[in-house]
């Protein structure tokens, strides 16, 4: 079975600073994908970034980057130059191939608050 | 040009009623999902359909019945609603059942009184 753990219930960051949101995962499947989603207070789920288990380089998407450490089974999200609009709940999630048929397993989420 | 849409956005109903939530995607994806987000914000898969065929049924009470009339639509019908069914229900879609990104609809907030 797959498991995602986000140990930070809440994080605070000053505007324009960088912040790291932690995510650790557990799976015995060698082929998997790690995803980060943002859920603002309006409720929608917004896809941010993806990292495949066989990708050699860390994924980046604009101000978002994923610090992928395979041996430690961690996939931390780094947001650079935080903006007030980054205040939201952030979910780490994982998909594996095989009999899971692609379902996403989510972590508990981290609430990020950006202070002006 | 909404990618994944759901109706209604809000649903308030009495215990024991039957209700449906509709989902449509215009991304050309062949796999669709229903997720439930509980009051603690935890998200869990309920169902998955691939090309109109049910492939995941994650120990959901049989009061919940999904239906996929075509690969662009996945509806969720709930019979005999209970207080514990109050949650946000998200539809999502992806191209395939592998590691492709899933894109979510805006969610339907269901409140059972």
């Amino acid at each position: 079975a797959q498991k995602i753990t986000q140990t930070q219930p809440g994080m605070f960051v000053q505007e324009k600073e960088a912040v790291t949101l932690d995510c650790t995962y557990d799976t015995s499947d060698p082929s998997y994908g790690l995803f980060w989603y943002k859920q603002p207070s309006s409720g929608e789920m917004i896809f941010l970034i993806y990292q495949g288990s066989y990708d050699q380089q860390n994924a980046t998407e604009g101000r978002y980057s994923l610090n992928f450490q395979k041996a430690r089974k961690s996939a931390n999200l780094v947001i650079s130059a935080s903006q007030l609009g980054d205040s939201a709940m952030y979910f780490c999630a994982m998909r594996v191939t095989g009999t899971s048929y692609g379902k996403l397993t989510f972590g508990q989420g981290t609430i990020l608050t950006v202070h002006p | 040009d909404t990618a994944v849409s759901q109706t209604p956005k809000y649903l308030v109903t009495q215990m024991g009623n039957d209700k449906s939530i509709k989902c449509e995607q215009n991304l050309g994806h062949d796999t669709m999902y229903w997720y439930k987000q509980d009051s603690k914000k935890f998200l869990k898969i309920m169902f998955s359909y691939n090309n109109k065929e049910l492939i995941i049924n994650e120990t959901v009470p049989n009061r919940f019945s999904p239906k996929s009339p075509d690969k662009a639509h996945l509806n969720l019908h709930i019979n005999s609603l209970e207080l514990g069914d109050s949650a946000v229900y998200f539809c999502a879609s992806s191209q395939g059942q592998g590691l492709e990104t899933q894109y979510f609809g805006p969610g339907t907030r269901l409140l059972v009184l």
Side-chain angles (χ1 to χ4, degrees), chain A:
Chain A
Q2 298 80 43
K3 187 173 181 183
I4 293 279
T5 303
Q6 295 179 253
T7 56
Q8 306 157 315
M11 288 286 285
F12 294 89
V13 67
Q14 207 71 26
E15 198 178 5
K16 299 179 187 175
E17 292 186 349
V19 63
T20 297
L21 305 184
D22 293 343
C23 172
T24 58
Y25 61 91
D26 189 28
T27 180
S28 56
D29 198 307
S31 177
Y32 52 88
L34 296 154
F35 302 80
W36 279 90
Y37 288 86
K38 173 184 178 181
Q39 187 175 39
S41 57
S42 50
E44 69 269 33
M45 293 286 290
I46 302 167
F47 164 69
L48 295 178
I49 194 167
Y50 163 80
Q51 179 85 42
S53 59
Y54 294 120
D55 293 343
Q56 295 297 312
Q57 293 191 330
N58 287 343
T60 59
E61 288 286 350
R63 294 186 300 110
Y64 303 110
S65 60
L66 203 153
N67 185 359
F68 181 47
Q69 298 188 41
K70 197 169 181 177
R72 299 178 63 180
K73 293 193 173 180
S74 73
N76 299 338
L77 176 70
V78 180
I79 305 174
S80 62
S82 296
Q83 301 173 355
L84 296 178
D86 293 335
S87 293
M89 187 128 184
Y90 289 81
F91 291 96
C92 181
M94 177 169 60
R95 291 182 85 175
V96 300
T97 55
T99 56
S100 292
Y101 298 107
K103 70 176 184 181
L104 274 171
T105 299
F106 284 89
Q108 309 93 312
T110 297
I111 299 174
L112 175 66
T113 304
V114 180
H115 289 302

Side-chain angles (χ1 to χ4, degrees), chain B residues 8 23 25 62:
Chain B
C23 177
Q25 55 93 5
N62 57 16

Side-chain angles (χ1 to χ4, degrees), chain B residues 12-18 63 79-86 111-113:
Chain B
V12 181
T13 188
Q14 299 288 330
M15 236 175 19
N17 283 351
D18 303 339
R63 296 183 296 103
N79 290 326
S80 303
L81 277 154
E82 300 178 358
L83 295 177
D85 297 332
S86 294
L111 179 59
V112 182
L113 302 173

Side-chain angles (χ1 to χ4, degrees), chain B residues 47-96:
Chain B
F47 300 103
S48 173
Y49 270 73
N50 180 258
N51 277 322
K52 304 193 296 176
E53 184 182 342
L54 179 67
I55 55 171
I56 296 177
N57 181 341
E58 197 83 351
T59 59
V60 177
N62 57 16
R63 296 183 296 103
F64 290 79
S65 51
K67 189 164 284 187
S68 182
D70 56 62
K71 74 174 194 175
H73 296 84
L74 179 61
N75 304 324
L76 183 66
H77 188 76
I78 316 170
N79 290 326
S80 303
L81 277 154
E82 300 178 358
L83 295 177
D85 297 332
S86 294
V88 181
Y89 293 84
F90 284 100
C91 177
S93 74
S94 67
Q95 186 56 45

